[in-house]
Amino acid sequence: MNKMTLTGQGLPYAQNQEVTMSSLEMVAYINSDRQSKAEAEGLEFPCKKYRQLSHKNFMAKVPKVLGLTSAKYLADDEFTSGNGAKATRNIYNFPKREACLMAMSYSYELQAAIYDYMEELDRQRGGYLSHTISELQQIVTAARKHSDEDSSDAGRRLRKRQDDLPLLNKAEYLVESLGQLKLSFGKESGDDK
């Protein structure tokens, strides 16, 4: 699959808010994917091999793929039409599972890309707690390296370095502590043999 960038709604999700992908975003992604494939083959887009998907056709396919449960994902989208008038249209807002099912109805390759995108949105929603210990260690190491390099420009930066050090030491200690936590999933603490 060609390297594509999925762009989400651009809004941060609250900690308890489920990550979704709208039918408009899915259609835009599918068309972008088709266009990049066509261009890679030296074809114009749209063409006979790579047709442009309309939102209307996508909306008609949703109940066929998701069945009766599709109705609970329906939403209204207010938009400004070409003449500047405000209008409302029906869209779907899919959670991860349903977005993947819809993508799979086009291709497994598309499903994988949508799944990865939704996973990344989930991860971003979780903030730093969703980073792995290894990622946190890399972040702290990079911050210390930057502070070390920054302090080489003596004088005015020395004061900044003195302010950075306690924070860096605390961050390194917290990441090291997190890395040493013993996690027992589904076991009593006395059963960890």
Side-chain angles (χ1 to χ4, degrees):
M1 177 177 241
N2 296 322
K3 182 83 172 149
M4 297 286 316
T5 302
L6 281 169
T7 55
Q9 295 140 328
L11 301 173
Y13 288 93
Q15 287 287 340
N16 60 352
Q17 186 180 1
E18 185 174 29
V19 173
T20 61
M21 186 172 191
S22 75
S23 53
L24 294 169
E25 291 173 303
M26 288 196 74
V27 168
Y29 178 73
I30 291 167
N31 284 329
S32 179
D33 180 56
R34 289 176 178 182
Q35 181 176 1
S36 65
K37 286 178 178 178
E39 289 171 356
E41 294 179 26
L43 301 172
E44 293 288 322
F45 179 78
C47 61
K48 191 172 184 175
K49 185 174 180 181
Y50 297 105
R51 299 182 188 275
Q52 186 165 7
L53 178 63
S54 71
H55 188 254
K56 178 182 175 183
N57 288 344
F58 183 85
M59 292 290 286
K61 187 174 184 176
V62 173
K64 295 173 186 170
V65 175
L66 300 180
L68 297 176
T69 62
S70 64
K72 69 181 176 181
Y73 306 115
L74 263 175
D76 288 329
D77 176 55
E78 290 187 9
F79 68 101
T80 305
S81 65
N83 63 4
K86 298 279 183 190
T88 303
R89 62 183 161 204
N90 283 332
I91 64 167
Y92 285 100
N93 282 319
F94 302 111
K96 186 185 324 180
R97 178 183 180 273
E98 285 69 20
C100 288
L101 288 171
M102 285 306 302
M104 188 188 337
S105 73
Y106 290 93
S107 76
Y108 293 123
E109 191 175 66
L110 182 62
Q111 178 196 7
I114 298 291
Y115 178 84
D116 291 343
Y117 170 71
M118 300 290 283
E119 282 291 304
E120 180 60 25
L121 286 180
D122 264 342
R123 198 174 89 109
Q124 289 175 11
R125 176 185 63 156
Y128 283 108
L129 291 178
S130 66
H131 286 290
T132 66
I133 301 298
S134 171
E135 289 171 327
L136 288 172
Q137 289 168 337
Q138 290 171 359
I139 291 168
V140 171
T141 300
R144 177 165 295 278
K145 181 179 178 190
H146 176 73
S147 180
D148 290 345
E149 290 168 355
D150 204 25
S151 68
S152 66
D153 202 14
R156 62 183 171 85
R157 296 191 182 197
L158 182 59
R159 177 67 184 135
K160 184 178 179 320
R161 170 79 169 157
Q162 289 170 342
D163 293 341
D164 286 350
L165 284 175
L167 290 173
L168 287 169
N169 289 336
K170 185 175 182 179
E172 287 171 338
Y173 171 77
L174 289 173
V175 170
E176 186 178 333
S177 297
L178 281 172
Q180 295 175 9
L181 282 177
K182 187 173 187 178
L183 301 175
S184 58
F185 297 103
K187 293 184 177 183
E188 297 296 320
S189 45
D191 279 348
D192 299 354
K193 295 181 180 178

